[in-house]
Amino acid sequence: MLPFQLVYHPGYDLNLGDHVFPARKYRLIHHRLLEDRFAEPADFVEPKAASDDDVLRVHDPGWVHRLQTGTLTAAEIVKLEIPYSREMVEGFWLATGGTLLAARNALRQRIGFNIGGGFHHAFPAHGEGFCAIHDVAIAIRALQNERLIKKAMVVDCDVHHGNGTAAIFSGDRSVLTLSLHQLNNYPSQKPPSVIDVNLLDGVEDAEYLDRLDGALKVAMSFAPDLVFYLAGADPYREDQLGGLSLTMDGLQGRDQLVFETALAQAVPVAVVLAGGYARDTDDTVTIHCNTAKAARDALQ
Ligand SMILES: [Zn+2]
């Protein structure tokens, strides 16, 4: 048995068909972790869908209603950049329930791991960039509401800036947002995070790890009760939507650095996956599975 649970539900697959966002990756990761004997069936736990009360602590009621009733405008669907379906909406609610469960697990077991989530481009009243609702923000507000945490920190290592996260927590001193991303990439408008690390095109492992280490050292003085780690696979050099040049080893070094830095200060970590669009989807699956391995190693 693993020292932490893997939160997963078959409904995470957003059924997007032949889309650049390989939403089937969640199912492939579940399969690979079992096939490699990294995990046993008993290591997995299925979340319940997030409650509407949880979602509405972050999101505008009109946006939630239009998602749930299939009444988004054509412009809203274009901005979301994925086709609308009932399964898609259910997938977001399930993955958000998964992020909340992973966060609760992290508080008990030091690490919580959702094989999904990381929808950092969602805003309170609109979605964009494949993100309909902001699972991490919803989980933070739920845990704060239950008085389980006071301060949270978001460490966003997806190659794209965490614009939704920055906007939602702007001016909120209880949440430190850190985004390490490629400057010349989506989104064009980057509302400021508390700490933004703007990387130039083509940055390689050594510089990336050095910049991350420096940012984490500053950020951890915030002394959060919980870290949410967005372990995007898209800083990988073979990514179709990313322009950085990290290797698989570099990405695993990144994972180690985040886990070791947080756990050294006894701060638990809830992992969510965020993006990953490698030319070969198997590479994206490998990178995400390696994050689970780094999590296990960090607890040993
Ligand atoms: Zn991304």
Side-chain angles (χ1 to χ4, degrees):
M1 287 287 287
L2 291 169
F4 57 93
Q5 289 187 313
L6 296 161
V7 179
Y8 170 73
H9 195 292
Y12 284 5
D13 191 331
L14 303 174
N15 293 286
L16 301 182
D18 189 22
H19 192 280
V20 68
F21 176 28
R24 65 187 182 287
K25 77 178 180 181
Y26 309 117
R27 176 164 47 81
L28 297 174
I29 294 163
H30 172 253
H31 181 80
R32 176 88 69 83
L33 291 172
L34 287 169
E35 186 183 62
D36 287 355
R37 299 187 177 274
F38 172 78
E40 304 167 18
D43 289 314
F44 293 88
V45 58
E46 286 193 0
K48 285 192 279 215
S51 73
D52 289 352
D53 283 349
D54 286 341
V55 175
L56 288 165
R57 274 190 211 97
V58 170
H59 290 282
D60 176 75
W63 173 244
V64 172
H65 181 74
R66 293 196 296 286
L67 278 170
Q68 291 181 325
T69 54
T71 51
L72 301 185
T73 66
E76 284 176 325
I77 293 174
V78 167
K79 202 157 176 65
L80 195 53
E81 294 189 79
I82 48 176
Y84 183 89
S85 70
R86 190 64 227 165
E87 291 85 357
M88 179 271 280
V89 174
E90 285 168 4
F92 278 108
W93 254 253
L94 273 173
T96 297
T99 295
L100 180 53
L101 178 56
R104 292 186 196 284
N105 286 346
L107 296 175
R108 287 191 296 117
Q109 298 183 302
R110 295 196 286 159
I111 285 183
F113 201 104
N114 187 17
I115 303 179
F119 308 127
H120 59 161
H121 302 310
F123 285 71
H126 79 271
E128 59 177 75
F130 321 148
C131 300
I133 57 174
H134 200 302
D135 57 308
V136 168
I138 291 165
I140 290 171
R141 290 301 187 224
L143 295 178
Q144 288 179 325
N145 185 60
E146 291 177 42
R147 309 256 187 276
L148 289 174
I149 61 168
K150 285 190 180 127
K151 295 194 289 182
M153 182 164 127
V154 181
V155 176
D156 188 341
C157 289
D158 188 278
V159 81
H160 303 101
H161 177 260
N163 55 343
T165 321
I168 289 168
F169 294 114
S170 172
D172 181 340
R173 296 167 66 95
S174 72
V175 180
L176 188 148
T177 53
L178 190 173
S179 179
L180 187 86
H181 50 265
Q182 183 190 3
L183 179 61
N184 297 316
N185 203 329
Y186 173 90
S188 55
Q189 300 288 324
K190 297 176 177 65
S193 315
V194 175
I195 301 175
D196 277 312
V197 180
N198 296 308
L199 300 171
L200 299 180
D201 300 357
V203 160
E204 297 181 357
D205 294 346
E207 181 182 351
Y208 187 97
L209 293 173
D210 190 50
R211 300 284 296 273
L212 175 61
D213 189 37
L216 284 173
K217 282 199 172 89
V218 173
M220 286 304 289
S221 65
F222 179 67
D225 301 309
L226 178 61
V227 164
F228 285 83
Y229 172 37
L230 280 76
D234 48 13
Y236 180 48
R237 60 184 176 185
E238 295 293 326
D239 197 88
Q240 299 174 89
L241 300 185
L244 299 184
S245 297
L246 271 70
T247 65
M248 287 210 190
D249 284 349
L251 287 160
Q252 209 165 0
R254 169 197 75 168
D255 297 336
Q256 280 169 5
L257 185 56
V258 173
F259 291 130
E260 285 170 8
T261 304
L263 294 178
Q265 290 193 31
V267 178
V269 182
V271 183
V272 296
L273 298 188
Y277 318 92
R279 265 171 269 283
D280 183 347
T281 299
D282 276 352
D283 285 351
T284 296
V285 171
T286 300
I287 293 163
H288 288 312
C289 290
N290 285 345
T291 302
K293 290 171 187 169
R296 178 199 56 192
D297 294 347
L299 287 178
Q300 280 172 347

